[in-house]
Amino acid sequence: MESATAAETAAMPRGVAHLKDELDIVIPTIRNLDFLEMWRPFFQPYHLIIVQDGDPTKTIKVPEGFDYELYNRNDINRILGPKASCISFKDSACRCFGYMVSKKKYIFTIDDDCFVAKDPSGKPINALEQHIKNLLCPSTPFFFNTLYDPFADGADFVRGYPFSLREGVPTAVSHGLWLNIPDYDAPTQLVKPMERNTRFVDAVLTIPKGTLFPMCGMNLAFDRDLIGPAMYFGLMGDGQPIGRYDDMWAGWCIKVICDHLGLGVKTGLPYIFHSKASNPFVNLRKEYKGIFWQEEIIPFFQSVSLPKDCTTVQKCYIELSKMVKEKLTKVDPYFDKLADAMVTWIDAWDELNPTGASAANGEAK
């Protein structure tokens, strides 16, 4: 399904595009999925891909009535063989295995401590519906609209916005936000232990070309056909010197690739209710190297310029892995290992998603 044009989107009645047969919901977990009961009115029509982290002998209970498949570490090893080394263990980054085995055009991923939020009127927010709306509306990365998303209800392009750019570009990523527990790093958690986000900002905006952002994986949707092969959450968790940078690593990678291929990334609505703050001391142990490394990682991504012959997501990602190996290995030998894992990830992706099986060959549309 191609991204809708602005005219098609404007004419689309609310709630029509549910994409029931074109979207998978990916959930990483180590516990029973009781949280799905709250989401049942919104999620039940969809297929779930559950990636079980940790002990593969533990039984994960899923509420009745959901259509799902569940993969544990034994399944990952069986399906990928030696290439399973690229999938993180004891880290929520394992979710990206679900992206790889899905055969749908769209992915929505959510954490198991995320509940249904309410808008200022008290109405439950259908986060999935808003993500779908974001993905089906074009993005405007090349010129900022001061009314934010010009395709939203009650908005349009403002005076002075070039008519040549008003058609927009396909949206590859929809990044949602959180009420209650903010997505803070450990130092911020420690100095603001009681802080809660109660601000509901009714806005969606396209992140401009050339601008990076800290992507959070707990409330995220993307067009798998357009950007899936780059949505690799890195090599984190057990046996690695870093954790909690998995989604941010993917965010930096996808943004430079989206910029190169002329694709859009949106952030803002929808909100979910993040119910549980992780332990800041545990988080600090996972994050502390990243806190130093990011001061060199971010300038690296800001300076990335991909060659013109990188016309697919896979080509872009392989080229990016070479740059990581060349430029970031001097920061720490870990990045040499990560660069190799990036290549392994693409090899595994292509093996499970051969060209022609779907549009997932990474061609920008």
Side-chain angles (χ1 to χ4, degrees):
M1 184 179 192
E2 299 290 339
S3 295
T5 65
E8 289 170 331
T9 301
M12 191 183 298
R14 281 185 177 275
V16 166
H18 293 302
L19 304 181
K20 182 175 71 72
D21 299 320
E22 299 178 80
L23 183 144
D24 280 334
I25 299 174
V26 175
I27 305 169
T29 193
I30 58 171
R31 59 182 63 87
N32 295 335
L33 294 181
D34 300 329
F35 91 114
L36 285 173
E37 289 293 356
M38 179 177 282
W39 288 102
R40 186 182 291 277
F42 307 130
F43 288 2
Q44 193 155 6
Y46 295 88
H47 179 66
L48 311 181
I49 299 177
I50 301 163
V51 184
Q52 178 180 342
D53 196 16
D55 182 1
T57 65
K58 181 179 178 181
T59 300
I60 298 292
K61 294 181 181 178
V62 181
E64 291 185 7
F66 286 94
D67 172 39
Y68 71 93
E69 52 191 304
L70 189 152
Y71 297 93
N72 60 32
R73 192 70 201 187
N74 293 338
D75 298 315
I76 294 171
N77 292 339
R78 173 178 52 82
I79 292 168
L80 296 185
K83 295 184 179 71
S85 62
C86 72
I87 304 298
S88 300
F89 185 55
K90 294 186 178 178
D91 191 277
S92 65
C94 68
R95 79 178 77 217
C96 60
F97 177 76
Y99 310 159
M100 184 185 287
V101 297
S102 170
K103 300 304 176 188
K104 303 290 178 62
K105 177 172 172 57
Y106 300 100
I107 295 289
F108 170 54
T109 185
I110 187 170
D111 285 2
D112 60 12
D113 62 350
C114 294
F115 297 158
V116 177
K118 293 183 179 180
D119 68 18
S121 72
K123 180 183 176 183
I125 297 169
N126 184 345
L128 183 50
E129 182 179 59
Q130 179 66 50
H131 275 301
I132 290 170
K133 197 171 182 180
N134 292 348
L135 290 170
L136 293 181
C137 288
S139 289
T140 54
F142 305 119
F143 202 89
F144 189 79
N145 193 59
T146 50
L147 280 179
Y148 303 114
D149 191 347
F151 303 106
D153 294 337
D156 209 327
F157 293 96
V158 300
R159 180 170 56 91
Y161 199 103
F163 284 90
S164 60
L165 295 177
R166 292 191 181 191
E167 185 176 347
V169 300
T171 299
V173 179
S174 171
H175 178 257
L177 300 175
W178 348 267
L179 295 174
N180 195 40
I181 306 292
D183 185 34
Y184 285 161
D185 53 40
T188 309
Q189 281 183 295
L190 286 166
V191 298
K192 296 183 174 182
M194 303 308 294
E195 183 155 292
R196 299 294 181 265
N197 181 32
T198 59
R199 293 196 316 141
F200 181 96
V201 181
D202 186 7
V204 176
L205 63 149
T206 298
I207 301 173
K209 181 180 181 181
T211 301
L212 297 173
F213 74 111
M215 190 173 82
C216 174
M218 76 171 83
N219 176 23
L220 178 72
F222 60 93
D223 187 322
R224 184 176 176 276
D225 288 359
L226 290 180
I227 200 64
M231 197 60 82
Y232 176 47
F233 276 41
L235 204 54
M236 307 277 163
D238 194 50
Q240 309 304 330
I242 186 175
R244 285 175 54 81
Y245 272 82
D246 51 330
D247 42 9
M248 286 183 284
W249 178 262
W252 297 326
C253 291
I254 62 100
K255 188 57 170 64
V256 297
I257 292 174
C258 283
D259 286 352
H260 175 75
L261 295 178
L263 301 171
V265 178
K266 292 188 176 186
T267 187
L269 301 179
Y271 283 92
I272 50 85
F273 185 90
H274 186 207
S275 67
K276 185 177 63 180
S278 48
N279 186 306
F281 295 100
V282 173
N283 290 347
L284 188 59
R285 285 201 301 271
K286 295 177 180 179
E287 290 176 358
Y288 80 96
K289 288 193 175 181
I291 291 170
F292 293 101
W293 291 349
Q294 70 186 13
E295 300 306 320
E296 297 193 57
I297 295 171
I298 292 171
F300 160 75
F301 279 105
Q302 289 172 326
S303 68
V304 164
S305 178
L306 294 167
K308 288 184 178 179
D309 63 355
C310 288
T311 55
T312 69
V313 176
Q314 279 95 328
K315 286 180 180 177
C316 290
Y317 204 69
I318 292 297
E319 186 66 28
L320 195 54
S321 73
K322 295 175 184 175
M323 295 178 181
V324 169
K325 187 178 280 282
E326 179 186 353
K327 302 291 187 181
L328 292 182
T329 300
K330 64 181 176 58
V331 175
D332 192 273
Y334 161 76
F335 290 97
D336 186 66
K337 187 178 181 181
L338 176 56
D340 290 340
M342 293 168 70
V343 175
T344 302
W345 160 262
I346 292 295
D347 288 344
W349 181 283
D350 286 344
E351 188 174 308
L352 290 185
N353 300 277
T355 302
S358 70
N361 61 0
E363 293 284 358
K365 296 176 182 175

